[in-house]
Amino acid sequence: MTRARSEDTRCYFFVLPAVIVIAAVAVYPMIPAVWISLRRVIVVFHEDHFVGLSNYAFLIHDPRFWTALGNTAYFVLVAVTIELLLGLGFALLLHTSFRGQKFFRVAILIPWAIPTVVSAKMWAWIWNPEYGLVSRLLPGSEMNWLGMPGYAMHAAILVDVWKTAPFVALLLLAGLETIPVDLYKAAIVDGASPLRIFFSITLPLLRPTIVVVLVFRTLDAFRVFDAVYVLTGGGPANTTETLSIYAYKMLMRAGDFGYGSTLAVVTFLCVMAISAIYIRLLGMPTRNIRI
């Protein structure tokens, strides 16, 4: 018992520096944000007074907030799903042996290595209805992909998928490398088909890595700002406005620091709720392998 407690104390000691850094970088700035969210602060009019939960009550009845939340949820659901499927396909392909494997493993990371703002600006030129690559490849089509509701959001999702799917593939490839080859050999000897091997061996053993990927990508996609802001600025007609963009507009354009902080706090709470759900999933045991 004493040895176990000593090991626990040692673990806490090693984790403590990371906890302190996270608290200083992430938790501490939230304290003034929460305090400002309880106030009405409009710098232009020199207005600053305590209003309690009035900002949160207004947020509940704010249709623009619910629209931004719906846009964010749709972006996360579609983008992360496509990235997971494409990333898994790329990972399985790169896990096999073929000529030029190392080259493709490096080349696939190029979109992910490009800064997000640069990628978004590049794609904005591609989608341009006058001189963009899409309009050149589709002669006679002058559709403004970034200026039409229904199309702009999917264009932004495509940009996010193009940039982030390689990152997902890299993480899943690392997970595939940890699966023992002997399991595959035993399954082949037993006469299992490739599809059966995938669903009975690869997918169950890859499940912890998939959950970790989902944690990273969901949290990152839920806070999406730069790519969408560069592409559309939240337009047209707020159809691509996410929670982060809405909070930014309230803080920096409208100058309403009280309500802008409220939006930031609610976004943080949503991220915490998603994290709690995924942590619960991480704690679930992996299925037994059956061939």
PDB file of all heavy atoms in Angstrom, residues 6 35 44 66 75 115 132 166 179 209 239:
ATOM      1  N   SER A   6       3.268   5.846  -2.897  1.00  0.00           N
ATOM      2  CA  SER A   6       4.473   6.542  -3.326  1.00  0.00           C
ATOM      3  C   SER A   6       4.495   6.724  -4.841  1.00  0.00           C
ATOM      4  O   SER A   6       4.867   7.787  -5.344  1.00  0.00           O
ATOM      5  CB  SER A   6       5.705   5.761  -2.870  1.00  0.00           C
ATOM      6  OG  SER A   6       6.893   6.376  -3.337  1.00  0.00           O
ATOM      7  N   TRP A  35     -16.250  37.002 -15.489  1.00  0.00           N
ATOM      8  CA  TRP A  35     -16.643  38.225 -14.770  1.00  0.00           C
ATOM      9  C   TRP A  35     -17.197  39.281 -15.733  1.00  0.00           C
ATOM     10  O   TRP A  35     -18.218  39.912 -15.456  1.00  0.00           O
ATOM     11  CB  TRP A  35     -15.445  38.782 -14.006  1.00  0.00           C
ATOM     12  CG  TRP A  35     -15.680  40.136 -13.389  1.00  0.00           C
ATOM     13  CD1 TRP A  35     -15.074  41.310 -13.717  1.00  0.00           C
ATOM     14  CD2 TRP A  35     -16.593  40.439 -12.331  1.00  0.00           C
ATOM     15  NE1 TRP A  35     -15.539  42.340 -12.949  1.00  0.00           N
ATOM     16  CE2 TRP A  35     -16.481  41.831 -12.087  1.00  0.00           C
ATOM     17  CE3 TRP A  35     -17.502  39.693 -11.589  1.00  0.00           C
ATOM     18  CZ2 TRP A  35     -17.236  42.476 -11.114  1.00  0.00           C
ATOM     19  CZ3 TRP A  35     -18.265  40.344 -10.618  1.00  0.00           C
ATOM     20  CH2 TRP A  35     -18.124  41.711 -10.389  1.00  0.00           C
ATOM     21  N   VAL A  44     -17.202  51.962 -26.474  1.00  0.00           N
ATOM     22  CA  VAL A  44     -17.474  53.176 -27.246  1.00  0.00           C
ATOM     23  C   VAL A  44     -18.322  54.158 -26.453  1.00  0.00           C
ATOM     24  O   VAL A  44     -18.101  55.375 -26.483  1.00  0.00           O
ATOM     25  CB  VAL A  44     -18.166  52.816 -28.576  1.00  0.00           C
ATOM     26  CG1 VAL A  44     -18.525  54.077 -29.358  1.00  0.00           C
ATOM     27  CG2 VAL A  44     -17.266  51.912 -29.412  1.00  0.00           C
ATOM     28  N   TRP A  66     -28.383  30.809 -31.802  1.00  0.00           N
ATOM     29  CA  TRP A  66     -28.799  29.448 -32.147  1.00  0.00           C
ATOM     30  C   TRP A  66     -28.441  29.114 -33.583  1.00  0.00           C
ATOM     31  O   TRP A  66     -28.106  27.963 -33.899  1.00  0.00           O
ATOM     32  CB  TRP A  66     -30.294  29.279 -31.897  1.00  0.00           C
ATOM     33  CG  TRP A  66     -30.648  29.362 -30.446  1.00  0.00           C
ATOM     34  CD1 TRP A  66     -31.300  30.373 -29.810  1.00  0.00           C
ATOM     35  CD2 TRP A  66     -30.333  28.392 -29.437  1.00  0.00           C
ATOM     36  NE1 TRP A  66     -31.417  30.106 -28.468  1.00  0.00           N
ATOM     37  CE2 TRP A  66     -30.845  28.894 -28.208  1.00  0.00           C
ATOM     38  CE3 TRP A  66     -29.694  27.157 -29.446  1.00  0.00           C
ATOM     39  CZ2 TRP A  66     -30.718  28.193 -27.016  1.00  0.00           C
ATOM     40  CZ3 TRP A  66     -29.560  26.460 -28.256  1.00  0.00           C
ATOM     41  CH2 TRP A  66     -30.067  26.974 -27.056  1.00  0.00           C
ATOM     42  N   PHE A  75     -20.990  22.081 -39.204  1.00  0.00           N
ATOM     43  CA  PHE A  75     -19.603  22.080 -39.682  1.00  0.00           C
ATOM     44  C   PHE A  75     -18.820  20.943 -39.034  1.00  0.00           C
ATOM     45  O   PHE A  75     -18.098  20.200 -39.709  1.00  0.00           O
ATOM     46  CB  PHE A  75     -18.954  23.426 -39.377  1.00  0.00           C
ATOM     47  CG  PHE A  75     -17.541  23.553 -39.856  1.00  0.00           C
ATOM     48  CD1 PHE A  75     -17.262  24.066 -41.106  1.00  0.00           C
ATOM     49  CD2 PHE A  75     -16.481  23.157 -39.048  1.00  0.00           C
ATOM     50  CE1 PHE A  75     -15.950  24.180 -41.557  1.00  0.00           C
ATOM     51  CE2 PHE A  75     -15.174  23.263 -39.485  1.00  0.00           C
ATOM     52  CZ  PHE A  75     -14.910  23.777 -40.744  1.00  0.00           C
ATOM     53  N   PRO A 115      -0.028  26.903 -43.407  1.00  0.00           N
ATOM     54  CA  PRO A 115      -0.834  27.648 -42.423  1.00  0.00           C
ATOM     55  C   PRO A 115      -2.284  27.777 -42.879  1.00  0.00           C
ATOM     56  O   PRO A 115      -2.570  27.910 -44.072  1.00  0.00           O
ATOM     57  CB  PRO A 115      -0.142  29.012 -42.359  1.00  0.00           C
ATOM     58  CG  PRO A 115       1.266  28.740 -42.780  1.00  0.00           C
ATOM     59  CD  PRO A 115       1.191  27.646 -43.789  1.00  0.00           C
ATOM     60  N   GLY A 132     -11.193  32.217 -60.804  1.00  0.00           N
ATOM     61  CA  GLY A 132     -10.832  31.044 -60.022  1.00  0.00           C
ATOM     62  C   GLY A 132     -10.681  29.795 -60.867  1.00  0.00           C
ATOM     63  O   GLY A 132     -11.181  29.707 -61.999  1.00  0.00           O
ATOM     64  N   PRO A 166      -5.078  14.852 -43.800  1.00  0.00           N
ATOM     65  CA  PRO A 166      -3.738  14.270 -43.643  1.00  0.00           C
ATOM     66  C   PRO A 166      -3.323  14.104 -42.184  1.00  0.00           C
ATOM     67  O   PRO A 166      -2.654  13.120 -41.833  1.00  0.00           O
ATOM     68  CB  PRO A 166      -2.830  15.277 -44.363  1.00  0.00           C
ATOM     69  CG  PRO A 166      -3.720  15.927 -45.367  1.00  0.00           C
ATOM     70  CD  PRO A 166      -5.049  16.028 -44.698  1.00  0.00           C
ATOM     71  N   ILE A 179      -0.553  -2.351 -34.101  1.00  0.00           N
ATOM     72  CA  ILE A 179      -1.287  -3.619 -34.136  1.00  0.00           C
ATOM     73  C   ILE A 179      -0.321  -4.747 -34.500  1.00  0.00           C
ATOM     74  O   ILE A 179       0.363  -4.674 -35.531  1.00  0.00           O
ATOM     75  CB  ILE A 179      -2.438  -3.563 -35.148  1.00  0.00           C
ATOM     76  CG1 ILE A 179      -3.421  -2.448 -34.767  1.00  0.00           C
ATOM     77  CG2 ILE A 179      -3.167  -4.895 -35.223  1.00  0.00           C
ATOM     78  CD1 ILE A 179      -4.562  -2.270 -35.744  1.00  0.00           C
ATOM     79  N   THR A 209      -7.364   4.863 -30.770  1.00  0.00           N
ATOM     80  CA  THR A 209      -6.776   5.917 -31.604  1.00  0.00           C
ATOM     81  C   THR A 209      -7.862   6.728 -32.292  1.00  0.00           C
ATOM     82  O   THR A 209      -7.745   7.960 -32.405  1.00  0.00           O
ATOM     83  CB  THR A 209      -5.842   5.301 -32.660  1.00  0.00           C
ATOM     84  OG1 THR A 209      -4.876   4.464 -32.019  1.00  0.00           O
ATOM     85  CG2 THR A 209      -5.123   6.383 -33.445  1.00  0.00           C
ATOM     86  N   THR A 239     -24.841  32.601 -42.881  1.00  0.00           N
ATOM     87  CA  THR A 239     -25.033  31.162 -43.058  1.00  0.00           C
ATOM     88  C   THR A 239     -23.778  30.361 -42.728  1.00  0.00           C
ATOM     89  O   THR A 239     -23.858  29.138 -42.560  1.00  0.00           O
ATOM     90  CB  THR A 239     -25.472  30.843 -44.498  1.00  0.00           C
ATOM     91  OG1 THR A 239     -24.532  31.413 -45.422  1.00  0.00           O
ATOM     92  CG2 THR A 239     -26.858  31.404 -44.775  1.00  0.00           C
TER      93      THR A 239
END
